[in-house]
Amino acid sequence: MNTKKWLAVGTCVTALGLFSACSDDESSPVVPVTPDSSSAIAPESSNANPNSSADVGGSSSSATAPVPTSSSDAEGVVDSSFTNMGVSEIMYNAPGGSALEWVEVYIKKGPDITDMQLSNLRLDGAVSFNFPTGSLKYGEYVIVTNDVNLFNQTYAGKLPAGCKVYGPWDKDPKTGAVAKLVNEGDVVEVKLKGEGDVSAAFSSQPPWPSLADGKGRTLVYRGSGNEADPNSWGASAVENGSPCAGGDKVLDASTVRLNEIKPYALGVSDGWVELYNSGSAPVDVKGWELESKLKGKKWTVGGANTVVPANGYLLLEATADVFGEGLFLSDNGDEIYLFEAVAGTRTGKETSLLISAGKQSSGIVEVAGGTVAQGAMATETPGAANSALKAGPIFISEIHYHENENDLNDLEFLELVNKGDAPVTLVENVNNVPQGWKIEGVNMEFAATDVIAAGGKMVLFSDSLKAKESLLRVRYSIDESVPIRFYAGKLSNRGETVAVKKPYSYVTKADNTKQWYYEISDATLYSDRWPGMTEADGKGKSLNRKDFTTTGYGSAVWSALAPTPGK
């Protein structure tokens, strides 16, 4: 929430700016991977499913959906005494080159909204839109789109009676045209006066489903979990999705997943691809298709052994014997997909892995909360269970993502710590070209003067506070030896991915600009729904790191404690 804050001396400062759960860099942070499931989106409440009678622009009612029977641990406890908003479906890249984009919004739990305008219901983040006067009832699913006419043309005769369609959303101040959802990924926020906000992420990178990226499907919320987490989303089972209708089904996932991939290393290794089968029956992957987004190429799986045993592993050498030619996967990182295919036709089931920049393997590990995360591996384990994710030396050590709005001196911040035994200058010289480290999620890039001492810390505040460094040191008793820096973005009050990224390499493009690739030093996807940590959600406490043996994914490595920036 963008709130005005006052320092102790009474100086007014404002923390403004959009945040992003995904990077525009070719290399992205470790992100959780969608587990095998197929479920429906529905409001989570003991409310009866009422039929809507509110009317906007001649509409009468919207579809209702059943209440789900279970909720993931990632969901946490949601207070149903107030209205909790949700995003149930997103079309961010329509098929056939269509410019159509839309977001489906609903009440996830709690009371109806009598008047959306008076309740200040709005979209923020990737796009902005203020809802007009009118009610929104539990059980209704309404659409906000960039183009109402194009939406109605696309779905003519396919919408449930009374489907409410709003739009267009606001213009982009930079272009003067109606804003667009960035295909590479962003975050759509649904905000409501008081509580009940939601931040819904989307992305075209693994492990998000590729079928929602211009291939005819939408992203569908599975009905539980953190809406910023890819685990919570799937590709729609229906072409073009099912706007205004609850109970949307997602495509079943394969029991076979890309588990670990080793890139090519000249004179050392051709690399390899490891598969894991979580199912109770063996799966033959002969004829399945492996695809590299970076190379723009695909290979068909073959070779002498193509059966992945039940609850077991299959190691595929990246050679011509298996793939018809060598894969030669780059250490700059890549987006790798494996598609189930029968007689040369893809079935819609897929698994994907984001390869981190670097010469090490990348893979998937289980983290707290019953989910999994992907990234660079600390140790390569071909044909066996994966090790921990590689991390450090720079870690995220404290996150104060939701300031106490009743305390004018409480301010959002991030804290970094150097767990190494040498100082780290946050600029790398790659082939004599300097490039700063980045913090993804708050839009920050470091300069050559930014150094974190061995065992030392650095505190990051909103750049609206740049002129107030001395007051910040007094407010939080931050020693002069601890550097303070400032970021342009804003931490989500609900949850998002934050990653510390180190430049690894670059490629000079045709227009003479450089495409940079990054290693991940640390990353987390925090959530305001983590069990036992609700006091960090606007109640005065922050998330404090207690485990630095791996990346910051999962609630188990964090505690909710009093803020202690720089200490």
Side-chain angles (χ1 to χ4, degrees):
M1 189 176 297
N2 294 334
T3 56
K4 291 186 176 180
K5 284 293 187 177
W6 293 76
L7 294 175
V9 294
T11 304
C12 182
V13 295
T14 309
L16 295 175
L18 301 181
F19 66 91
S20 172
C22 305
S23 173
D24 58 0
D25 297 315
E26 200 68 27
S27 172
S28 282
V30 183
V31 282
V33 179
T34 306
D36 303 336
S37 65
S38 177
S39 59
I41 170 63
E44 296 177 28
S45 174
S46 57
N47 300 15
N49 287 328
N51 291 320
S52 169
S53 59
D55 222 357
V56 175
S59 300
S60 58
S61 66
S62 296
T64 61
V67 178
T69 57
S70 65
S71 177
S72 71
D73 292 340
E75 186 76 26
V77 178
V78 179
D79 188 347
S80 60
S81 65
F82 56 81
T83 302
N84 293 267
M85 298 306 302
V87 173
S88 47
E89 195 169 2
I90 302 174
M91 172 70 87
Y92 70 89
N93 188 8
S98 170
L100 181 64
E101 300 171 345
W102 52 269
V103 176
E104 186 178 74
V105 176
Y106 73 117
I107 294 176
K108 194 173 187 180
K109 270 189 178 181
D112 298 345
I113 298 175
T114 304
D115 191 301
M116 296 182 292
Q117 187 177 66
L118 291 179
S119 296
N120 197 21
L121 182 64
R122 63 202 186 278
L123 299 186
D124 205 347
V127 292
S128 300
F129 178 79
N130 292 296
F131 283 81
T133 187
S135 66
L136 177 63
K137 299 189 180 231
Y138 175 86
E140 285 188 283
Y141 294 81
V142 300
I143 302 297
V144 187
T145 178
N146 64 329
D147 190 327
V148 173
N149 289 334
L150 181 56
F151 179 90
N152 288 331
Q153 292 170 14
T154 301
Y155 293 97
K158 301 176 183 178
L159 299 172
C163 176
K164 298 178 183 178
V165 183
Y166 301 102
W169 45 57
D170 297 346
K171 293 182 178 180
D172 184 335
K174 294 180 180 179
T175 65
V178 174
K180 287 185 62 61
L181 297 174
V182 179
N183 290 347
E184 288 74 20
D186 210 329
V187 176
V188 175
E189 298 180 271
V190 183
K191 294 190 172 183
L192 187 66
K193 182 172 64 178
E195 302 290 344
D197 299 352
V198 64
S199 297
F202 64 93
S203 176
S204 62
Q205 293 183 324
W208 296 85
S210 66
L211 286 175
D213 184 20
K215 297 178 181 178
R217 309 298 174 122
T218 58
L219 279 179
V220 173
Y221 180 59
R222 293 178 180 273
S224 63
N226 181 358
E227 287 90 342
D229 188 338
N231 290 344
S232 304
W233 297 85
S236 64
V238 177
E239 290 280 350
N240 288 317
S242 304
C244 279
D248 299 342
K249 296 291 185 180
V250 299
L251 289 171
D252 289 331
S254 170
T255 62
V256 173
R257 75 183 185 202
L258 289 167
N259 198 58
E260 188 175 2
I261 297 177
K262 169 71 173 177
Y264 171 80
L266 180 63
V268 178
S269 171
D270 288 331
W272 39 263
V273 176
E274 179 190 75
L275 306 181
Y276 173 70
N277 178 11
S278 63
S280 58
V283 176
D284 191 346
V285 297
K286 187 179 183 65
W288 288 28
E289 294 179 348
L290 190 79
E291 187 171 296
S292 161
K293 193 169 184 179
L294 181 67
K295 288 177 173 289
K297 294 184 65 174
K298 67 179 181 180
W299 303 266
T300 300
V301 178
N305 183 12
T306 56
V307 176
V308 192
N311 298 306
Y313 303 87
L314 174 65
L315 192 68
L316 300 173
E317 297 292 341
T319 62
D321 291 340
V322 179
F323 294 101
E325 61 176 311
L327 298 183
F328 302 109
L329 298 177
S330 171
D331 62 354
N332 283 337
D334 203 344
E335 298 170 37
I336 304 296
Y337 295 84
L338 179 65
F339 299 98
E340 181 184 79
V342 177
T345 301
R346 294 180 180 180
T347 66
K349 292 184 178 182
E350 67 177 55
T351 172
S352 59
L353 181 62
L354 188 68
I355 300 180
S356 300
K359 298 186 183 302
Q360 73 290 317
S361 67
S362 295
I364 292 173
V365 298
E366 294 183 0
V367 295
T371 188
V372 289
Q374 60 180 3
M377 305 306 302
T379 305
E380 295 172 4
T381 56
N386 288 343
S387 64
L389 295 178
K390 179 183 176 183
I394 304 300
F395 292 86
I396 304 164
S397 50
E398 188 171 356
I399 307 173
H400 194 42
Y401 66 89
H402 190 178
E403 66 271 33
N404 184 346
E405 293 166 25
N406 295 318
D407 181 355
L408 298 179
N409 288 314
D410 196 28
L411 299 165
E412 170 189 304
F413 67 83
L414 278 174
E415 180 189 80
L416 305 179
V417 63
N418 178 4
K419 287 292 184 178
D421 55 8
V424 175
T425 300
L426 298 176
V427 166
E428 299 295 317
N429 282 294
V430 180
N431 296 327
N432 296 318
V433 178
Q435 178 71 9
W437 289 46
K438 287 186 174 184
I439 306 292
E440 181 165 328
V442 293
N443 191 22
M444 181 170 188
E445 183 172 323
F446 291 98
T449 54
D450 297 330
V451 180
I452 306 180
K457 294 185 176 182
M458 176 183 283
V459 185
L460 313 177
F461 290 96
S462 166
D463 64 1
S464 62
L465 299 169
K466 272 186 176 179
K468 313 298 178 185
E469 181 175 335
S470 60
L471 296 175
L472 291 169
R473 291 190 183 278
V474 172
R475 163 70 182 89
Y476 289 106
S477 302
I478 301 173
D479 190 83
E480 289 291 336
S481 64
V482 177
I484 292 177
R485 298 294 183 266
F486 302 91
Y487 52 78
K490 170 91 175 68
L491 291 171
S492 168
N493 289 353
R494 303 279 74 86
E496 65 173 315
T497 298
V498 180
V500 182
K501 304 171 65 173
K502 174 185 176 181
Y504 175 76
S505 63
Y506 67 86
V507 172
T508 302
K509 299 190 290 188
D511 60 1
N512 211 35
T513 60
K514 291 180 173 59
Q515 174 66 63
W516 282 92
Y517 300 91
Y518 294 81
E519 295 180 273
I520 304 303
S521 184
D522 191 27
T524 185
L525 173 53
Y526 68 86
S527 173
D528 66 330
R529 298 174 188 166
W530 277 348
M533 282 179 262
T534 57
E535 289 186 307
D537 184 20
K539 298 177 182 178
K541 293 191 176 180
S542 64
L543 296 176
N544 279 253
R545 187 74 164 267
K546 61 183 182 181
D547 183 352
F548 296 91
T549 59
T550 186
T551 58
Y553 278 101
S555 59
V557 301
W558 299 92
S559 297
L561 301 172
T564 57
K567 300 181 181 61

